[in-house]
Amino acid sequence: MAVTMSSSKISCTLKAIFMLWIHFILLFSRQGKLRLQKWYTTLPDKEKKKIIREIVQIILSRNQKTSSFVDWKDLKLVYKRYASLYFCCAIEEQDNELLTLEVVHRYVELLDRYFGNVCELDIIFNFEKAYFILDEFIIGGEVQETSKRSAVKAIEDSDMLQETVEEYMNKPAF
């Protein structure tokens, strides 16, 4: 007996499978220096600083051969090291860790595509672009755009608009 589903049911099912809610994303160096932070839950600054200190300490103290998943309070930390940077996401306990690793990897791919082999200095000196790329990809803790091509197109369009505005502003007035 064949089971058939309408395309709308399949779409809803896929959205349910890939539903992931990220509480925050942290990028920090091997020395523990915070390079980027994006919070999708509202917390006081003092609490954020405490959380950052605690998480950086936990992750940096772990052996490189251990799992990239850490149960922390009522959340799960999922992290991955790329060169000298750690990318860390905090997700719900029931969320999919492997999907979260894929989200982290996709963000790194977007950064690579924009900067051309991204490095820590790119994040430091172009942090506004790193945030913009993240915002094109994740909004409100949920993945918005899974297509690299679409996300890169939006970033390129933004760059083009910024260049056009700068050219306009720099033209001499008559």
Side-chain angles (χ1 to χ4, degrees):
M1 175 198 269
V3 177
T4 59
M5 291 178 80
S6 70
S7 62
S8 63
K9 283 185 181 178
I10 291 172
S11 177
C12 289
T13 304
L14 287 175
K15 282 185 179 180
I17 290 170
F18 292 111
M19 201 63 183
L20 177 71
W21 194 63
I22 300 171
H23 288 261
F24 56 84
I25 297 174
L26 304 175
L27 269 69
F28 54 91
S29 69
R30 288 183 303 192
Q31 293 77 30
K33 300 230 187 250
L34 189 64
R35 299 302 183 202
L36 183 141
Q37 61 178 318
K38 188 70 174 189
W39 296 83
Y40 301 107
T41 55
T42 306
L43 293 170
D45 286 342
K46 189 174 181 179
E47 183 69 19
K48 288 179 185 177
K49 288 177 184 176
K50 181 181 173 192
I51 289 170
I52 291 167
R53 250 190 329 271
E54 185 178 342
I55 289 173
V56 167
Q57 181 182 3
I58 288 169
I59 292 175
L60 290 179
S61 67
R62 291 175 58 88
N63 186 330
Q64 287 184 357
K65 296 185 188 240
T66 57
S67 163
S68 293
F69 315 129
V70 178
D71 289 326
W72 177 75
K73 297 187 178 183
D74 59 339
L75 299 174
K76 199 179 310 178
L77 302 175
V78 178
Y79 68 93
K80 177 91 171 118
R81 181 177 160 196
Y82 289 89
S84 64
L85 285 176
Y86 285 89
F87 291 71
C88 177
C89 294
I91 59 172
E92 296 286 328
E93 287 180 333
Q94 70 276 4
D95 285 341
N96 187 326
E97 301 95 341
L98 297 177
L99 180 60
T100 308
L101 279 177
E102 183 59 33
V103 167
V104 167
H105 186 70
R106 179 58 54 100
Y107 180 51
V108 171
E109 286 179 326
L110 289 168
L111 290 170
D112 272 344
R113 202 154 198 198
Y114 183 79
F115 291 111
N117 200 13
V118 68
C119 68
E120 186 175 353
L121 289 176
D122 291 323
I123 303 294
I124 293 169
F125 292 117
N126 300 293
F127 64 91
E128 67 284 343
K129 286 294 178 193
Y131 277 109
F132 182 80
I133 293 167
L134 185 60
D135 289 341
E136 280 299 315
F137 180 46
I138 299 173
I139 297 175
E142 295 181 359
V143 175
Q144 295 301 308
E145 184 55 66
T146 56
S147 166
K148 278 191 281 188
R149 181 174 291 144
S150 296
V152 168
K153 173 94 171 84
I155 295 161
E156 289 170 350
D157 290 348
S158 170
D159 284 347
M160 185 70 78
L161 179 63
Q162 185 177 0
E163 288 173 18
T164 304
V165 168
E166 286 173 3
E167 286 175 15
Y168 178 77
M169 297 301 285
N170 291 330
K171 280 189 176 180
F174 292 102

